[in-house]
Amino acid sequence: MTVSYTLKVANARFGGFSKLLFRWKGSIYKLLYKEFLVFILLYATLSVTYRHFLNGNQKRLFSKVARYCNHSTDLIPLSFVLGFYVTLIVNRWWAQYTSIPLPDQLMCVISSNVHGKDDKGRILRRTLIRYANLSSVLILRSVSTRVLKRFPTMDHIVDAGFMTQDERKMFESLHSDFNKYWIPCVWFTNLAAQARRDGRIRDDVALRLLMDELNLYRSKCSMLFHYDWISIPLVYTQVITIAVYSFFAFCVVGRQFLEPLDSKEDGYLDMYVPLPTLLQFFFYAGWLKVAEQIINPFGEDDDDFETNKLIDRNLQVSLLSVDDMYQNLPPTGKDKYWNESTAQPPYTMATIAETLKPSFMGSTFDMRMSDDPEQNQQTDASPNMTRIQTPLLNRFLTAAASPAVSLKNFGKGSRIHHQLLRARAEGTFPSSSPSFYRREDPESVGRIEEEETEDEETRLSVTPTSDSHLGVSYKPKNTGIHGKEVPHITVMEASDDSISITDQPSG
C-alpha cells in the first residue's frame, strides 16, 4: 500500500519533517537495515583483527594499505553518477504513473454521446466501457505482479466479470505471438461503428470524439507495455552498483582507525565507531536503494502503485457513469446568487481572516509611476530619431577584433584588400546611411591602421616577389632596418583594373 504523509506536511512548522523520521513502513530503515548491518559487521571484524591479531610489521603493512584505500575513495565520482541516475529513475517513475489508463474522459464521452434508455442502450454503453476496462486489466496483468497474482488465468478474468465466455473463446481463437491487450479496443471500435449505423450515436462528430478518447486510452496501455519492455540500459545500472559497492569496500579498509607508523607521528583520534563513514553509507547506499525501489513501481514494495485498487475504482466509477448517471440529472433552478452581481461564498470563523487580504492584481499593479507629465506624454516612434549610444558598452563590444571584419582575413595581395585600402585612403567607404561616418569608432580605425602596418612590415621582411596575375609588384626597402622607417604605400588604380603599388619613404 502506498505510504501517504501529505497531511502531515500540509503546513511548514518547526520539526515538520522530523516527525516523519520515526515511521517504519516505507522508510529507509526498513529498506536499508540489512545492508547497513553487513557493513558494520565487516568493519568491526577488520577492526578487531587489526587491533588484536596482527603483529607490528603486519600493522605497518595494513596501515599503508588503509591509507591507499582511503586515498582511492576520492577517485570515484560517486555523487555525480549516483545523483544523475536517481534523477533519471524518478522521472521515469512518474512518467509510468501518468501512463496508467484511466477511463474518466472516455466514460463521460460514452455517457453523453451513446443514447438509449432501453436495455439495448444500457447494454451498449456498459459493454463499451467494459471493453476499455478489460484492456487495462490485460495490460496491468502483464506488467504488475500484484494484478497477475489476482488474475493468474483467463478464468479469473471471466469470473470477475471483465469478459464473457463467448468473448474468451473469440479472444483465444485469435492467435498472435505478441500481447493481445489491444483486442478489446478493436471490439470497442467495431461496436461504436455499429452504434453509429443504428443511430445510437447521432452524428460523425460524436463518433470521432469517441474514437479520439479511445485512442488516447489505448496509447496509455501501449506506453505501459513499452515501459515494461524497454528498461534503463543494464550497463548503466551495473556501473552505478559497482561504483557504490566498490566505494564502500575501500571505506571498510581505508576508514579504519590506525596507529601511527612513526613514534614522532601524531596518530588519529581513535573513536572505534566511524560515525561519518556510517552516515556516508546511509546516504549513498540509501540513495541507491531509492532507485532500486522505484525503478519498477509495479511490484509489491511499500511505495509501489496500488494497481488492484485502481482496477476496482475504474470499473466501479465507469459503470456508474455510463449506466446509473445516464440522463439522470438533478432538477435545475435558480442558484443562490441569481440576483447578485458579485457572488461571495461565506467563510467560517477559522478562515474569515483571509477576506482582509487584498486580491492579487499583478506584480506591477502597485508600482508608482513618475509624476512628471513629460514622462507620461505619448509620442510616435520615428526611424530618423537619433539612437542612444552607450560608450562604455561599445568599448567592451569592440575590444576584440572580430574575425568577420578584420583585414587579416582578406587574402593578402588580393584585389579586395587593395580596394579597401584605396577606399580607406580616399575616405569613400560606401554606406546607405548618411550617419555612417559619424558612427565610425576611433578605436576600430586605429586597430585597422595597426593591422595595415603589421601587414606591410611582414611583406617587407620577406624576399621580393612578383605577382603577374594581379599586376602587383613589391619593392621593399632595406630589410635590415626594423622599426626605424616604415614604408608608405600608395594605392593607385590602373585603367586595366590592375593595381600597382610603389613604395615611398614616409616623410
Side-chain angles (χ1 to χ4, degrees), residues 178-454:
F178 303 97
N179 196 314
K180 297 188 291 185
Y181 68 90
W182 46 269
I183 290 180
C185 295
V186 178
W187 292 345
F188 185 103
T189 58
N190 294 334
L191 187 59
Q194 180 180 346
R196 174 70 183 98
R197 291 191 297 268
D198 296 342
R200 299 286 180 172
I201 300 177
R202 295 176 181 175
D203 51 47
D204 294 336
V205 175
L207 180 62
R208 173 63 184 274
L209 180 60
L210 188 62
M211 292 296 102
D212 289 342
E213 291 298 332
L214 175 68
N215 288 331
L216 180 61
Y217 188 87
R218 186 207 56 80
S219 65
K220 289 190 174 184
C221 295
S222 178
M223 284 302 300
L224 280 186
F225 177 76
H226 285 87
Y227 271 120
D228 185 66
W229 183 17
I230 307 299
S231 303
I232 292 178
L234 178 62
V235 292
Y236 197 6
T237 303
Q238 290 176 339
V239 166
I240 301 301
T241 306
I242 293 174
V244 174
Y245 287 170
S246 60
F247 179 85
F248 288 106
F250 282 120
C251 286
V252 167
V253 180
R255 302 294 174 84
Q256 294 286 339
F257 293 100
L258 306 173
E259 297 178 359
L261 296 176
D262 191 359
S263 58
K264 298 181 180 180
E265 181 183 357
D266 293 335
Y268 296 104
L269 181 63
D270 194 350
M271 297 293 295
Y272 292 94
V273 178
L275 184 59
T277 302
L278 295 180
L279 290 177
Q280 200 171 25
F281 180 87
F282 190 81
F283 298 148
Y284 285 146
W287 217 355
L288 182 65
K289 277 295 182 179
V290 169
E292 180 182 340
Q293 184 180 29
I294 66 177
I295 192 172
N296 181 12
F298 294 101
E300 298 179 74
D301 294 327
D302 289 340
D303 275 318
D304 285 343
F305 301 151
E306 298 183 41
T307 47
N308 283 325
K309 288 292 184 180
L310 283 173
I311 290 175
D312 297 341
R313 180 262 176 195
N314 291 343
L315 181 63
Q316 180 180 356
V317 171
S318 59
L319 289 178
L320 183 65
S321 174
V322 301
D323 191 10
D324 294 346
M325 295 185 63
Y326 174 72
Q327 293 188 359
N328 185 12
L329 300 175
T332 59
K334 296 181 180 180
D335 58 82
K336 180 180 180 180
Y337 309 101
W338 180 264
N339 296 321
E340 299 181 11
S341 58
T342 303
Q344 181 59 60
Y347 284 79
T348 61
M349 293 301 297
T351 59
I352 191 62
E354 297 182 11
T355 60
L356 303 178
K357 301 178 182 179
S359 301
F360 179 74
M361 306 297 294
S363 59
T364 63
F365 184 77
D366 295 328
M367 188 178 72
R368 296 185 60 183
M369 303 298 293
S370 175
D371 296 333
D372 189 359
E374 294 183 359
Q375 296 293 332
N376 300 327
Q377 186 177 0
Q378 295 182 349
T379 182
D380 295 332
S382 175
N384 297 327
M385 183 179 297
T386 304
R387 297 181 60 184
I388 299 176
Q389 301 291 335
T390 53
L392 182 60
L393 182 60
N394 288 339
R395 288 193 62 183
F396 285 113
L397 294 177
T398 59
S402 173
V405 299
S406 176
L407 292 178
K408 289 183 178 181
N409 291 330
F410 292 94
K412 290 181 173 58
S414 64
R415 181 178 301 175
I416 299 176
H417 179 71
H418 296 296
Q419 288 177 352
L420 287 174
L421 291 176
R422 184 181 66 247
R424 175 89 179 88
E426 297 174 358
T428 57
F429 276 101
S431 176
S432 59
S433 174
S435 59
F436 175 82
Y437 300 104
R438 295 196 302 269
R439 295 198 307 266
E440 189 175 27
D441 188 359
E443 294 187 8
S444 300
V445 173
R447 187 169 57 254
I448 294 174
E449 291 177 350
E450 184 179 348
E451 292 176 359
E452 295 171 5
T453 304
E454 292 176 359

Side-chain angles (χ1 to χ4, degrees), residues 407-507:
L407 292 178
K408 289 183 178 181
N409 291 330
F410 292 94
K412 290 181 173 58
S414 64
R415 181 178 301 175
I416 299 176
H417 179 71
H418 296 296
Q419 288 177 352
L420 287 174
L421 291 176
R422 184 181 66 247
R424 175 89 179 88
E426 297 174 358
T428 57
F429 276 101
S431 176
S432 59
S433 174
S435 59
F436 175 82
Y437 300 104
R438 295 196 302 269
R439 295 198 307 266
E440 189 175 27
D441 188 359
E443 294 187 8
S444 300
V445 173
R447 187 169 57 254
I448 294 174
E449 291 177 350
E450 184 179 348
E451 292 176 359
E452 295 171 5
T453 304
E454 292 176 359
D455 293 341
E456 295 306 322
E457 289 179 355
T458 304
R459 192 178 298 112
L460 291 174
S461 64
V462 299
T463 304
T465 57
S466 175
D467 193 337
S468 58
H469 174 70
L470 297 175
V472 180
S473 61
Y474 304 97
K475 298 178 181 180
K477 294 295 182 180
N478 187 6
T479 59
I481 303 174
H482 297 284
K484 294 182 179 180
E485 184 179 2
V486 179
H488 179 71
I489 300 176
T490 304
V491 182
M492 300 178 63
E493 180 179 6
S495 59
D496 56 352
D497 292 341
S498 65
I499 302 173
S500 62
I501 302 177
T502 61
D503 289 345
Q504 295 180 4
S506 58

